[in-house]
Amino acid sequence: MSGYVEGGTSERLVPRTTDARNAREAAALAARRRGPTVSLWGMAMVVASEGTLFGAFVGSYYYLRFKSPHWPPLGTPEPKVVVPLILVAVLATTSVPMQLAALAARAGRLWATRSFLLVALVVQSGYFAYEVHDYVDQLHRSTPQDNAYSSIYYLLLGADHAHVFFGLLLNVWLLGKLATGLTMYRLNAVQAVALYWHAVNVLTWIVIGTLLSAAA
Amino acid sequence: MATTVPPPAPAEEVVARLERMWEARPGVLGWVMTTDHKRIGLLFFWTTLALFGAGGVEALLIRTQLIRPDNHLVSPGTFDELFTVHGMTMIFFFIIPASTGVFGNYLLPLMIGARDMAFPRLNALSYWVFLGSAIFLYTSLFMGLAPNAGWFDYVPLANRRFDPGPPIDFYCLAVIFNSLSSTLTASNFIVTIFKMRAPGMSFNRMPLFCFAFLATSFGLLFALPPLSADTIFLFLDRNVGTHFFDVAHGGSTLLWQHLFWIFGHPEVYILIVPAFGIATSIIPAFTQRRLVAFPLVAIAELLVVFIGFGVWAHHMFAVGMPVITVVFFAAATAMVVIPSTVQVFAWCMTFVTGSPQFRTPLLFIAGFIFMFVAGGLTGMMFVAVPFDQQVTDTYFVVAHFHYIIFGAAVFPIFAGFYFWFPKVTGKLYFELPGQISFWVVFVGTNLLFFPMHVVGLEGMTRRVYTYSGGSGWGPENLAESIGGYLTGAGIVLLLGNLLVSWFRGPPAGPDPWRAPTLEWTIPSPPPEYNFAVIPKVSSAYAAWDLADREEDRRKLAEHALVLDQGHEQPVSSPIDGWFSEIVEMPHDSPWPIVLATALSLVFTTLVIHKYAVAGIMGVLVLLALLFWHQEEPQNA
Amino acid sequence: MRPSIRLLAGFQWFGLLAGAAVWTAQHVVGYGIGQAQCVAGGMHWGIGNDVWQLTLLSCAGLVVVLAEVAAVVVYLATRGADYGSGPPGSGRFGGRTPYGRLNFFAMGAMLANALFLAIMLLDGLAASFDVLCRQS
């Protein structure tokens, strides 16, 4: 029974995962690991913290909303519904290539990983470019200084875009790293960034849903 | 690429190899670039001690101003800065960094049989960010621009109209800056506790100290973002012209309070739960008995923080919320005391059924229990909303929270200083001055805080700059101020004892207390690599499992589970501790201090409203992050 | 007949987490309903506050009671497993199965669910009576 007490597996059978220097080794060692990695847990902490921040923003939105008889206040334009919903759906679909990239990395398929990341990056960048253009465009019609509605609107939306932008930076960094091969570190990184994007996609749904509820 | 079993080697050779591999860089550079959790714990120790001194000086100035009626020692404006900065310092810059940054950092890896935290460089970053945020706040004090609207900084007083200028901007940014440090620490602790325990240490075999720090870390992780949201709203309202808190344009002043207390109530549990962890480490050692009701105490530590997230509006019972709202929070507040009570009973029963030796650490723990119960009783009184509405913002509240914070957070910190002093320094402290320091501090704090209940009930409101002779509050205030000086003297004696003992104390050996947790099985002070052999763990009282310790010695002789092929650590599964992989850990790195410096520049440029420059500094932060991640841990 | 280890583990997680989750929901939703009843912009759907609160309390209360039952089942099935100290021996509670951990979490869950039920009964019932938009 000493096997259990020492954690079930003897030292000689446990992988030294940071030894992996190329895609094949990384995939072989990753397959022998149990459960989510330390880096995935770390990204989960980031997701929890940022998620709670957005929770505070969304909670504040509803708090301010339920205080006000008119929402948006008279004179402030209602949010457009159709285009933002389409865009959010498009962004959410990038979770698929991101997850496929993570699975490909885990299997040691470097070119597949790079391709999926590139596809995701292209769609995400397109989304971001359009959203920046739209944000600036909306600022011509109303500003955060108008009233509490527009203050929380622009902050919530801006915070979401900022997180998308940071995700773009992460994807670019990943592609840069993967240009010279796949190590265990990079494999872990792809999985962690995929988690980041799943979280951002869910958060964007929640944020857009919240903001568009004013049009109801 | 098979994992080979290393050839057998004599124990001394193994230890020498480990020492070489984990050796710290010499000199100042070694400290600046360190990622060793023990060194980072010591860095936190010196810094938090200095800030404790600063907070104490602020407290004594407050007490001296209030020593007699109609006193004019300092101006009213300075008085406002003093009580605000005192509160911020003690909460954000002393208790949290001391309990998490000092005790958590130093002891957590040792208690779980690990060689370092899950993210060593992140740990270092936590410290340098903390230091940066402390310097940031205290710069405002030295410039005469310190925050001055109280530590909870209510709007509309804190908004641009009533408090223009830098002070509240410093408040907002210092709080956000500091919260980065605690968020990083909390994340690190959670991942470390779940993944880096020695293989075989399943969740139910984890010391109670670890449960306490797990609860605290979850608390920090989820409580700090609402505070950041709040301060972001305030900074924008003040400087960009938004209307989050501006009622005339659809905003809400109560929004500040809700968000603040959604942070603020879990915060007070964050302050005391690490102390519970310290108490549950000390009591078994000095009663030589396993803690009574171990599983109930473990869940109680988690429950008190969890339920504590649902009681925040009890800080707002006097602002005029509808009764239906009040009901939810009063109910949860009434029940949140129960997990704490379970713990108090468990501690007391352990005393009664064990053989207590009242050495200095246990004296401080006994004092802690006394003061925690006293403060808890007054806390329960606030559940009665009509009573709460009478005593809100009076000295009765000040008495309550100082009994809790000083009694339940600071006393265990002092106890912990004494208890782990032999482990950290390798020396024993002098017992008699230790005991005297306890009694001086105990009498001092009771003299300081007890009369506050009386003047509070008599109507003395908090944060008042002075009071008239006719109020009749003079004698109590005089007693409180004397208590304050006495407490200060006791603390000086305490720290002086530790300082002298460090130079002149007798050698301690690895385990002077015959304590039950793993840090007492290694030399004092611990080597850089902590454990030569990854320890075998069969219970939560690993140091008392002599058969396991014997097996560790045998493994060292066989060169088994030594993990000396590099800078290595085992990683296990989160709940049952199955051995999962061996990873290479990062060693010294300059990037934590570089990144913290870049962040300091961001906050500095923000507070002087140079937003474009702040954006450029933000790019520097991203660059530092990039360079940090250029280095990938590989085998040596 | 003792339940299988997988079933016991499932009950243990349900017992530990379900009570916490539904208390959180009842607390947040109940508070939100109260706010909606009493503030200017709040939405009413023709359903009275009492109906909302009592329904919420019943549903959440049921789940907490089930969680408590699950925790008790696990505790009784693993009684005798030493939850903390000593090596996992031979016999009924030995070997690779984490009976100690199940027993440990079951004990914790029993305390937690009792507490959540108490809080919910207090505020759920109190929130269902009388005019509650009166300023406190």
Side-chain angles (χ1 to χ4, degrees):
Chain A
M1 296 303 112
S2 66
Y4 172 71
V5 176
E6 276 164 27
T9 318
S10 121
E11 181 189 354
R12 72 194 71 212
L13 295 176
V14 167
R16 279 184 153 82
T17 50
T18 35
D19 277 1
R21 296 277 162 71
N22 58 46
R24 192 181 45 81
E25 291 178 4
L29 290 180
R32 291 162 57 201
R33 270 197 300 224
R34 308 173 65 116
T37 58
V38 171
S39 38
L40 207 57
W41 271 91
M43 185 54 80
M45 296 295 108
V46 171
V47 166
S49 186
E50 296 300 290
T52 311
L53 183 68
F54 273 94
F57 288 153
V58 168
S60 303
Y61 180 95
Y62 283 113
Y63 187 82
L64 290 171
R65 177 190 182 146
F66 288 129
K67 276 181 45 58
S68 309
H70 301 280
W71 188 268
L74 305 166
T76 305
E78 276 190 5
K80 298 202 179 61
V81 177
V82 177
V83 172
L85 274 180
I86 295 174
L87 284 171
V88 160
V90 166
L91 184 69
T93 59
T94 61
S95 269
V96 174
M98 287 308 300
Q99 186 61 22
L100 288 174
L103 291 171
R106 186 120 189 242
R109 290 164 36 229
L110 185 53
W111 273 106
T113 310
R114 289 171 179 151
S115 313
F116 286 127
L117 280 175
L118 196 57
V119 164
L121 180 62
V122 165
V123 177
Q124 290 155 352
S125 308
Y127 166 90
F128 181 72
Y130 182 88
E131 288 287 3
V132 168
H133 159 79
D134 189 55
Y135 194 89
V136 170
D137 192 51
Q138 287 182 56
L139 281 171
H140 292 139
R141 282 192 295 283
S142 74
T143 68
Q145 289 85 355
D146 287 346
N147 48 47
Y149 168 87
S150 47
S151 299
I152 188 77
Y153 177 92
Y154 281 108
L155 177 71
L156 199 47
L157 194 57
D160 189 67
H161 293 336
H163 281 75
V164 169
F165 178 67
F166 191 72
L168 295 178
L169 293 180
L170 286 175
N171 276 8
V172 169
W173 171 72
L174 269 181
L175 284 166
K177 277 273 190 182
L178 290 173
T180 52
L182 185 71
T183 62
M184 183 58 76
Y185 183 86
R186 296 166 194 183
L187 190 161
N188 293 341
V190 177
Q191 290 182 318
V193 173
L195 177 62
Y196 178 84
W197 271 109
H198 297 326
V200 165
N201 289 338
V202 169
L203 275 174
T204 305
W205 269 112
I206 295 172
V207 167
I208 299 298
T210 301
L211 293 178
L212 295 187
S213 71
Chain B
M1 206 217 67
T3 310
T4 52
V5 179
E12 306 80 33
E13 205 180 288
V14 167
V15 167
R17 192 182 152 87
L18 278 171
E19 298 209 332
R20 257 190 344 266
M21 200 130 344
W22 288 79
E23 196 176 3
R25 201 181 281 258
V28 174
L29 214 54
W31 284 91
V32 163
M33 289 172 59
T34 187
T35 56
D36 176 3
H37 68 100
K38 301 182 290 295
R39 283 198 161 193
I40 294 169
L42 288 173
L43 287 172
F44 266 105
F45 175 74
W46 296 117
T47 313
T48 53
L49 214 56
L51 287 159
F52 184 47
V57 166
E58 286 142 18
L60 290 178
L61 283 170
I62 294 171
R63 282 306 342 147
T64 312
Q65 162 61 23
L66 291 171
I67 196 168
R68 61 192 169 96
D70 298 311
N71 203 10
H72 297 286
L73 178 71
V74 297
S75 70
T78 307
F79 188 80
D80 290 346
E81 292 183 9
L82 280 175
F83 65 68
T84 306
V85 179
H86 166 75
M88 291 174 76
T89 300
M90 289 308 197
I91 291 174
F92 294 113
F93 294 94
F94 170 56
I95 295 186
I96 292 181
S99 49
T100 57
V102 179
F103 291 98
N105 262 333
Y106 200 101
L107 296 167
L108 208 56
L110 297 178
M111 290 220 184
I112 60 175
R115 285 194 169 147
D116 209 324
M117 293 281 182
F119 302 114
R121 290 176 295 181
L122 200 72
N123 204 10
L125 179 66
S126 242
Y127 170 70
W128 296 112
V129 168
F130 163 66
L131 182 65
S133 67
I135 293 173
F136 183 82
L137 178 68
Y138 272 81
T139 304
S140 78
L141 187 65
F142 294 133
M143 288 167 66
L145 294 171
N148 55 12
W151 90 274
F152 35 92
D153 201 56
Y154 276 5
V155 299
L157 176 63
N159 222 330
R160 185 167 47 179
R161 181 167 162 218
F162 295 109
D163 206 333
I168 305 301
D169 290 340
F170 269 107
Y171 176 92
C172 295
L173 294 170
V175 156
I176 295 174
F177 197 5
N178 178 260
S179 73
L180 282 175
S181 168
S182 295
T183 303
L184 296 173
T185 298
S187 306
N188 216 347
F189 283 6
I190 291 171
V191 182
T192 303
I193 288 171
F194 275 120
K195 294 291 287 184
M196 310 304 270
R197 302 196 307 272
M201 186 185 276
S202 55
F203 224 72
N204 52 308
R205 294 184 178 145
M206 197 165 73
L208 287 169
F209 183 92
C210 305
F211 278 98
F213 277 81
L214 186 64
T216 307
S217 302
F218 274 118
L220 281 166
L221 193 69
F222 291 112
L224 287 170
L227 180 65
S228 299
D230 221 8
T231 43
I232 289 172
F233 288 167
L234 182 60
F235 189 82
L236 290 174
D237 263 20
R238 289 172 57 81
N239 298 300
V240 172
T242 50
H243 299 287
F244 296 102
F245 303 123
D246 177 8
V247 177
H249 289 87
S252 166
T253 41
L254 271 196
L255 179 62
W256 170 272
Q257 295 192 27
H258 276 295
L259 283 174
F260 186 85
W261 290 114
I262 290 173
F263 149 77
H265 193 86
E267 169 74 356
V268 310
Y269 290 115
I270 289 163
L271 293 175
I272 59 176
V273 172
F276 294 168
I278 294 174
T280 50
S281 305
I282 292 178
I283 291 173
F286 285 105
T287 53
Q288 287 295 299
R289 192 214 187 287
R290 305 208 308 250
L291 200 76
V292 167
F294 178 99
L296 296 182
V297 175
I299 196 74
E301 282 170 351
L302 296 166
L303 269 178
V304 81
V305 173
F306 186 76
I307 299 178
F309 270 94
V311 302
W312 79 84
H314 70 217
H315 298 270
M316 297 161 63
F317 277 165
V319 302
M321 298 181 299
V323 171
I324 190 170
T325 304
V326 161
V327 153
F328 280 94
F329 294 99
T333 308
M335 295 291 113
V336 79
V337 73
I338 290 181
S340 304
T341 316
V342 165
Q343 294 189 66
V344 171
F345 273 114
W347 300 326
C348 292
M349 286 310 293
T350 313
F351 271 92
V352 164
T353 57
S355 0
Q357 300 171 58
F358 284 94
R359 310 281 282 277
T360 308
L362 200 66
L363 274 179
F364 272 104
I365 295 299
F368 144 67
I369 295 176
F370 172 82
M371 300 206 40
F372 179 50
V373 169
L377 287 172
T378 52
M380 274 302 281
M381 292 164 73
F382 297 130
V383 176
V385 175
F387 175 79
D388 182 282
Q389 291 181 340
Q390 292 298 308
V391 295
T392 290
D393 282 340
T394 66
Y395 261 82
F396 193 88
V397 178
V398 179
H400 158 71
F401 68 68
H402 279 102
Y403 261 84
I404 295 284
I405 294 184
F406 208 111
V410 180
F411 269 51
I413 287 177
F414 291 160
F417 284 166
Y418 275 112
F419 183 62
W420 280 292
F421 180 85
K423 177 52 58 183
V424 174
T425 62
K427 307 271 182 68
L428 286 172
Y429 62 84
F430 292 109
E431 185 63 40
L432 185 61
Q435 305 227 353
I436 295 174
S437 72
F438 165 72
W439 287 109
V440 175
V441 170
F442 185 73
V443 170
T445 48
N446 279 284
L447 187 58
L448 168 56
F449 298 123
F450 189 81
M452 291 183 181
H453 294 104
V454 177
V455 289
L457 288 173
E458 289 177 355
M460 182 175 179
T461 47
R462 62 191 290 189
R463 303 195 180 115
V464 284
Y465 158 72
T466 191
Y467 51 94
S468 70
S471 64
W473 301 330
E476 286 91 347
N477 273 283
L478 176 62
E480 290 164 20
S481 298
I482 293 173
Y485 301 134
L486 197 58
T487 307
I491 294 172
V492 168
L493 176 59
L494 188 159
L495 295 173
N497 182 18
L498 292 177
L499 187 66
V500 171
S501 305
W502 188 26
F503 288 110
R504 302 254 198 102
D511 191 10
W513 313 127
R514 286 180 301 150
T517 40
L518 278 171
E519 75 273 21
W520 301 101
T521 63
I522 54 178
S524 307
E528 274 82 14
Y529 51 85
N530 297 346
F531 298 94
V533 172
I534 304 302
K536 175 176 171 182
V537 174
S538 310
S539 76
Y541 302 97
W544 287 346
D545 292 332
L546 301 175
D548 285 350
R549 306 284 64 83
E550 187 51 48
E551 186 160 336
D552 285 349
R553 278 188 283 276
R554 189 180 52 72
K555 280 204 206 110
L556 181 60
E558 294 171 3
H559 203 171
L561 267 187
V562 168
L563 299 178
D564 61 350
Q565 304 300 301
H567 213 241
E568 294 184 322
Q569 274 228 81
V571 174
S572 10
S573 71
I575 300 297
D576 288 320
W578 299 106
F579 200 172
S580 170
E581 59 184 303
I582 299 171
V583 292
E584 177 77 17
M585 302 304 289
H587 207 16
D588 300 340
S589 170
W591 297 110
I593 192 170
V594 169
L595 182 50
T597 310
L599 278 168
S600 305
L601 290 172
V602 171
F603 283 96
T604 308
T605 47
L606 281 174
V607 86
I608 57 175
H609 301 165
K610 299 274 184 265
Y611 301 121
V613 183
I616 298 172
M617 298 299 136
V619 173
L620 286 185
V621 168
L622 290 175
L623 281 174
L625 265 176
L626 179 67
F627 283 115
W628 174 317
H629 289 92
Q630 283 304 104
E631 180 203 316
E632 300 184 13
Q634 297 291 350
N635 258 335
Chain C
M1 189 204 83
R2 204 178 67 199
S4 76
I5 192 72
R6 284 180 84 85
L7 200 59
L8 277 180
F11 280 6
Q12 177 235 279
W13 286 116
F14 178 76
L16 194 61
L17 299 176
V22 292
W23 170 69
T24 307
Q26 186 260 358
H27 196 72
V28 171
V29 174
Y31 165 47
I33 289 169
Q35 281 286 100
Q37 301 285 331
C38 301
V39 297
M43 296 177 289
H44 310 254
W45 287 297
I47 306 175
N49 172 61
D50 298 358
V51 175
W52 275 114
Q53 300 290 359
L54 286 170
T55 311
L56 200 54
L57 174 61
S58 317
C59 298
L62 181 64
V63 176
V64 170
V65 167
L66 288 176
E68 179 76 5
V69 166
V72 170
V73 164
V74 175
Y75 174 72
L76 291 176
T78 55
R79 216 163 24 159
D82 196 346
Y83 61 76
S85 63
S90 53
R92 246 185 105 205
F93 294 115
R96 290 167 72 86
T97 48
Y99 285 109
R101 181 256 291 180
L102 291 175
N103 187 252
F104 178 83
F105 277 136
M107 281 196 252
M110 293 194 304
L111 173 62
N113 290 319
L115 209 54
F116 292 135
L117 190 62
I119 302 177
M120 286 182 344
L121 284 172
L122 275 176
D123 59 41
L125 291 174
S128 308
F129 295 116
D130 268 325
V131 176
L132 294 167
C133 289
R134 175 173 58 86
Q135 194 172 45
S136 68

